[in-house]
Amino acid sequence: MNDQYSVLYPTYQWFVPSQFNIAQACVHRWAENPQEGRRIAIYHENEVGQREVWTYSRLSETTNKLSHGLVKMGVQPGARVAVIMDQRPEAVAACMAVFSVGAIAVPLPALIGSDGLAARLRDADARVAIVDATAAPALLDAQLQCPALAQIIALGFDHEAIIPWRTLLARQPADFKVAATKSDAAALLLYTGGTAGAPKGVLLAHGSLIGSLPGFVAAQNWFPQKGDVFWSPIEWSRAAGFMNALLPSLYFGQSLVGTLGDFSTTRCLEVMERYRVTNAFLFPTIIKLIMHDLPAPRDRYQLALRAIMTTGESLDAGVFEWCRKALGVTPNEVFGQTEMNAVIGNSHKKWPAKPGSIGRPYPGHQVAVLDSHGKPCAVGTVGEIALNRYDIHRHPDPALFLGYWRNEAATQGKFSKDWCLTGDLASVDEDGYFWYAGRSDDIFKSSGHRIGPGEIEDCLLGHSAVSSAAVVPKPDNSRGALVKAYVVLRNSAKGLNTQDLQKELQEHVRTHLASYQTPREIEFVDSLPLTNTGNIRRHILRAREQQRSGAVDGSRK
């Protein structure tokens, strides 16, 4: 194919207006034109298959009514308002109403439980929360730990301590003057769910949406095109779903599918078939589940897919090739963080995708791999991925976060001069493609050798018996650490003798990698601890090995 990267990257120029409001850009501007307002913004399907459509006009009107309600409740610009709702149209209206009044939206997933909600609500100092029936019981429990949380608006849930959604919206005007926010004004407070440490509040500006667009457009094979319909099963309450699915789809005035209910591979394909989904955002774990459960999906489903964006972990060559053959789509892998969304990735229609690579820097972003002295690494040398505050034309990069919420020390610690450090390791090849090598805190030494878990995990995944794998250090007095692998087997391999299988997997790694990379111990488990974005939470497994080592050492004393 024709590689257009050398033209696209150096010629890209940011245009970030001085005033910009996400709600105006994503909802209200479409509703201002009657013809555009009749377009479908959201196709919605609940747990039992009931369906409805929300036009841009309906979404704008509901947003406006809720905006009036929030103002009457005393919500002012800069106030934090929590939105704890499933993937439903009202969740979109809630966030857009918060943006419309100039306040800061704090999307939170109900699945983190009452204690998790309470910790984040206290940190954000949220005084108002908007919830649905799923989240309401957990939030009421959390409210007992949050004295500042004075008002709760609930959809489909009655309780003496809450204000019903319908009651608040009743008799409110259907028009509202959106706050004239600056593009660098705070709009979103998103909490990280990272691979290590306590979650931190990441503060993003209204203009951060503009910063996400080059990566989104490229990863979705130049979105939008006529008739594009977008869907992702990833909850909009998560940073990944909010920034890589919800906001950009609405920004371009396209149709978005929202679904409620438990995920299954069958329903995933049914939804894509029913709504003629053209563009999807799927975690690698989801793609692998579909591959294992329905190896030939197009034999049963009429799919209209033209682009798949994926992030969270690298797709091995087998999964990459399966997507091309079974789904008819070359997946575009994307790398980013809550602090800097979608800054590296692929765009199959514009430049070739290399299986296993996380791609090249997207236009508008100056990204490098730095050594311990903050200098760019040589080709093929592993270093830390970093994003510069400025693009190659010395214009500020709008994708970069404003800072950690009320944590200046952590914000300063994220930077080395103009470089924002990710904590993720990679190397860059001679063509400018980045190859992920794991988290910096996942690297360990064994018998003097520097061990990166990613390469060993990818090797294990190349074995037909392995569904997923995680590699961590096991403390050892003589070697410092042993290479330990946690392995989840595919269903077809679960009846095999584990001792024989361990030897087979060790030999598999020894054949393909250096002998010192061979796991000395393999533990077979039913599942691995994962973040919301599908990343392996290796720090949990490392802590488990540390605890086991301490228990063993203690028993010897």
Side-chain angles (χ1 to χ4, degrees):
M1 64 168 290
N2 182 25
D3 188 348
Q4 301 176 39
Y5 186 83
S6 61
V7 174
L8 292 168
Y9 183 80
T11 58
Y12 186 85
Q13 297 275 358
W14 288 111
F15 174 70
V16 182
S18 59
Q19 286 193 343
F20 183 78
N21 185 284
I22 292 175
Q24 177 63 29
C26 291
V27 176
H28 300 309
R29 67 168 168 144
W30 303 116
E32 289 168 359
N33 181 314
Q35 183 175 352
E36 300 281 7
R38 287 193 291 270
R39 293 217 316 263
I40 294 172
I42 303 171
Y43 292 100
H44 185 245
E45 184 175 303
N46 68 11
E47 305 93 325
V48 295
Q50 294 175 327
R51 306 170 203 165
E52 61 175 334
V53 296
W54 282 52
T55 63
Y56 276 94
S57 291
R58 181 182 178 185
L59 184 57
S60 177
E61 182 177 320
T62 303
T63 297
N64 286 338
K65 289 182 177 182
L66 183 56
S67 300
H68 280 289
L70 291 177
V71 170
K72 290 180 179 178
M73 293 172 67
V75 175
Q76 298 180 351
R80 279 74 59 202
V81 178
V83 179
I84 314 165
M85 306 180 88
D86 284 332
Q87 207 179 73
R88 60 172 75 248
E90 292 87 353
V92 183
C95 290
M96 295 300 162
V98 177
F99 298 143
S100 293
V101 303
I104 299 172
V106 189
L108 295 171
L111 57 83
I112 60 177
S114 57
D115 289 345
L117 289 173
R120 290 159 177 79
L121 291 167
R122 286 197 306 270
D123 185 68
D125 193 24
R127 299 168 188 267
V128 176
I130 306 173
V131 301
D132 58 16
T134 302
L139 182 63
L140 289 172
D141 288 340
Q143 189 182 28
L144 301 175
Q145 307 174 50
C146 303
L149 183 60
Q151 297 171 307
I152 300 174
I153 304 165
L155 174 71
F157 186 86
D158 293 324
H159 190 276
E160 60 183 8
I162 63 97
I163 302 170
W165 173 281
R166 291 181 181 275
T167 301
L168 183 65
L169 267 63
R171 302 188 183 90
Q172 299 292 351
D175 57 349
F176 183 84
K177 185 176 181 180
V178 177
T181 54
K182 293 184 177 181
S183 59
D184 60 359
L188 272 167
L189 183 55
L190 297 169
Y191 281 87
T192 62
T195 56
K200 295 188 291 288
V202 177
L203 196 61
L204 297 177
H206 283 272
S208 65
L209 169 56
I210 296 175
S212 293
L213 294 180
F216 179 83
V217 169
Q220 292 298 336
N221 291 338
W222 253 240
F223 188 97
Q225 295 182 18
K226 185 177 180 180
D228 276 354
V229 177
F230 192 93
W231 177 69
S232 175
I234 302 165
E235 289 296 335
W236 300 334
S237 56
R238 302 179 183 182
F242 204 91
M243 299 301 296
N244 292 322
L246 175 62
L247 291 188
S249 299
L250 298 178
Y251 175 86
F252 287 112
Q254 298 302 118
S255 298
L256 177 73
V257 179
T259 55
L260 298 179
D262 295 334
F263 172 85
S264 71
T265 52
T266 299
R267 191 182 185 209
C268 176
L269 290 162
E270 287 176 348
V271 165
M272 288 195 284
E273 179 185 56
R274 181 154 47 247
Y275 296 100
R276 307 302 295 160
V277 171
T278 57
N279 299 75
F281 173 29
L282 305 173
F283 285 150
T285 49
I286 294 173
I287 296 174
K288 291 175 185 177
L289 282 172
I290 297 173
M291 183 177 74
H292 293 153
D293 294 348
L294 297 161
R298 289 193 292 178
D299 289 349
R300 290 177 53 184
Y301 299 95
Q302 297 295 317
L303 301 179
L305 279 173
R306 70 172 189 84
I308 294 176
M309 168 184 175
T310 186
T311 190
E313 62 176 286
S314 292
L315 291 179
D316 62 74
V319 180
F320 184 91
E321 191 59 31
W322 177 84
C323 284
R324 295 177 64 177
K325 291 182 178 179
L327 295 176
V329 176
T330 298
N332 287 321
E333 193 163 335
V334 174
F335 171 85
Q337 295 183 330
T338 308
E339 296 90 338
M340 55 189 88
N341 186 55
V343 295
I344 304 172
N346 282 307
S347 185
H348 167 63
K349 297 294 185 180
K350 298 295 183 179
W351 61 85
K354 293 185 179 183
S357 167
I358 57 174
R360 291 160 155 172
Y362 281 126
H365 306 297
Q366 185 181 175
V367 190
V369 167
L370 305 181
D371 63 20
S372 58
H373 302 291
K375 303 296 184 182
C377 293
V379 170
T381 302
V382 173
E384 185 171 1
I385 302 172
L387 173 71
N388 202 283
R389 294 180 186 272
Y390 304 97
D391 67 5
I392 59 174
H393 306 292
R394 297 301 294 172
H395 299 144
D397 189 332
L400 195 59
F401 75 135
L402 296 174
Y404 291 116
W405 175 250
R406 294 177 174 174
N407 193 340
E408 183 60 25
T411 302
Q412 293 299 322
K414 187 76 171 172
F415 286 86
S416 174
K417 296 182 179 178
D418 284 335
W419 292 100
C420 187
L421 306 174
T422 64
D424 288 288
L425 303 177
S427 61
V428 182
D429 66 19
E430 62 279 1
D431 297 320
Y433 286 80
F434 283 60
W435 297 83
Y436 190 73
R439 291 284 300 173
S440 58
D441 48 13
D442 288 333
I443 301 298
F444 61 95
K445 283 191 174 182
S446 176
S447 299
H449 296 287
R450 192 168 180 266
I451 305 293
E455 190 175 21
I456 305 172
E457 290 166 359
D458 287 344
C459 184
L460 287 167
L461 287 169
H463 192 282
S464 60
V466 178
S467 174
S468 57
V471 171
V472 296
K474 177 178 180 176
D476 180 80
N477 291 333
S478 61
R479 297 180 177 86
L482 300 178
V483 180
K484 165 91 179 262
Y486 285 84
V487 168
V488 178
L489 295 174
R490 296 187 180 185
N491 291 333
S492 58
K494 288 183 177 178
L496 300 177
N497 182 286
T498 54
Q499 289 185 338
D500 292 341
L501 192 53
Q502 174 170 311
K503 293 178 182 178
E504 186 176 326
L505 292 176
Q506 289 171 325
E507 184 58 31
H508 175 77
V509 175
R510 190 177 293 109
T511 301
H512 291 84
L513 301 177
S515 59
Y516 64 80
Q517 293 175 292
T518 303
R520 292 297 185 105
E521 182 179 318
I522 296 177
E523 183 174 336
F524 297 101
V525 294
D526 293 331
S527 62
L528 297 173
L530 303 175
T531 67
N532 289 338
T533 56
N535 286 317
I536 299 169
R537 303 181 73 188
R538 295 187 187 88
H539 73 282
I540 292 178
L541 301 176
R542 290 173 70 121
R544 183 183 301 174
E545 292 304 318
Q546 291 282 354
Q547 186 177 24
R548 288 174 175 176
S549 176
V552 171
D553 291 344
S555 68
R556 291 172 178 168
K557 293 179 180 178

